[in-house]
Amino acid sequence: NRQFRLVSRPVGMPSNENFTLQEVDLPELQDGQVLVRALYISVDPYMRGRMSDAKSYIEPFPLDEVLVGGGVGEIVESKNERWQAGDVVVGQLGWQDYTVSNGRGLLKLDPSLAPVTTALGVTGMPGWTAYFGLLDIGQPKEGETVVVSGAAGAVGTIVGQIAKLKGCRVVGIAGDDAKCQYLLNELGFDATINYKTTDDLRAALKRACPDGVDVYFDNVGGEITDAVMSRINFQARIAICGQISQYNLEEPELGPRVFTQLLKNSALAKGFIVSDYAPRHKEAMLQLGQWVAEGKIKYAENIVDGLENSVEAFLGLFRGENIGKQLVKVSDL
Ligand code: NDP
């Protein structure tokens, strides 16, 4: 059983030296346990936070232990009466070939209904994040302008499409021309801005949002957010979902004070964690599944092959290598 462990806490951008891939023996299965063979593991930006030991909403990863995250796998052996060999499940799995689980938190998937990878993306955690952040905090109304940063990623692609379904003008900010083309041509965004090539983000926002910004779904923070905040309308709503531009900084970045913007515009900014909505996850899963089945929401996946490439796939998130959900394929179903 190959497994990735965190061996030191990254300072700034993580590197391969912070991780080891090692071979370990599988423990004997105890009563109540199941053995899950990994099919896909999910790499997610929030894991960067868990690699540090700063206080957060979730415990740091312990050093010298296997990294754990979302994954899809097949139960290959069961000593738990709820589960049978052959069941395909989504839940928390290690970054390893095989995970021993007590079965808690696993959800059974029906591979004939949808590709199993969707349970880690559009109908899974990133999809729920988009759904609740946009609809509950953003409250988009028909005809309003919604701006989403990190627009071409797992969460951002879904945010933009739900906003289109609600009749909004949707503007996506992403760091690559091919991503912007995808958002415009495939997902129906109204305008996009490549923040890496534009020399004046505020001017680009002014052109893309002639009527200002009513809802801002923030995945990135930093200068992009400073610029969007300068364009918000009266009673705008800002869903603070992620701040990826800040995750690898050694010192916090200081920017313009946005509170004046909130004050002047009677605007609301609210942070949230997808787990705040745990009692309603099923609602999001069903609604997103229906939209996908009806062809109203499309999804993209960027799949890297081989468990041994998990760290590179994770680091690729910070280099913007993915369109849609970044996954690692570990084995075939
Ligand atoms: P993505 O699929 O969006 O992948 C990350 C993307 O972020 C990259 O592709 C890259 O795209 C962009 N990015 C990386 N570095 C920077 C930077 N310095 N400045 C601007 N953009 C950058 O990831 P997810 O969709 O999974 O997550 C998106 C955000 O949502 C993250 O901040 C994450 O932490 C947060 N999140 C929050 C949750 C919650 O419960 N609150 C739950 C899930 C995610 P590009 O080419 O455009 O730069």
Side-chain angles (χ1 to χ4, degrees), residues 178-237:
K179 291 184 179 186
C180 289
Q181 287 306 314
Y182 173 75
L183 299 175
L184 288 170
N185 300 336
E186 301 292 328
L187 303 189
F189 280 50
D190 297 286
T192 54
I193 296 169
N194 179 341
Y195 72 90
K196 285 189 182 159
T197 55
T198 188
D199 45 15
D200 187 343
L201 198 51
R202 282 167 203 245
L205 275 161
K206 198 169 176 179
R207 282 193 299 276
C209 311
D211 300 325
V213 177
D214 300 296
V215 178
Y216 174 44
F217 192 105
D218 185 15
N219 282 317
V220 306
E223 287 175 10
I224 293 173
T225 293
D226 295 339
V228 179
M229 291 302 293
S230 73
R231 300 285 308 154
I232 61 171
N233 286 337
F234 182 67
Q235 292 188 341
R237 288 82 64 199

Side-chain angles (χ1 to χ4, degrees), residues 44-46 125 129 150 153-156 173-176 179 195-196 219-220 224 241-245 247 272-274 317-318 320-322 324-325:
D44 291 87
Y46 79 86
M125 186 279 279
T129 304
V155 174
I173 305 176
D176 175 70
K179 291 184 179 186
Y195 72 90
K196 285 189 182 159
N219 282 317
V220 306
I224 293 173
C241 173
Q243 300 279 291
I244 195 168
S245 72
Y247 294 173
F272 73 104
I273 306 296
V274 62
L317 293 168
F318 302 105
E321 288 170 2
N322 58 307
K325 179 68 196 130

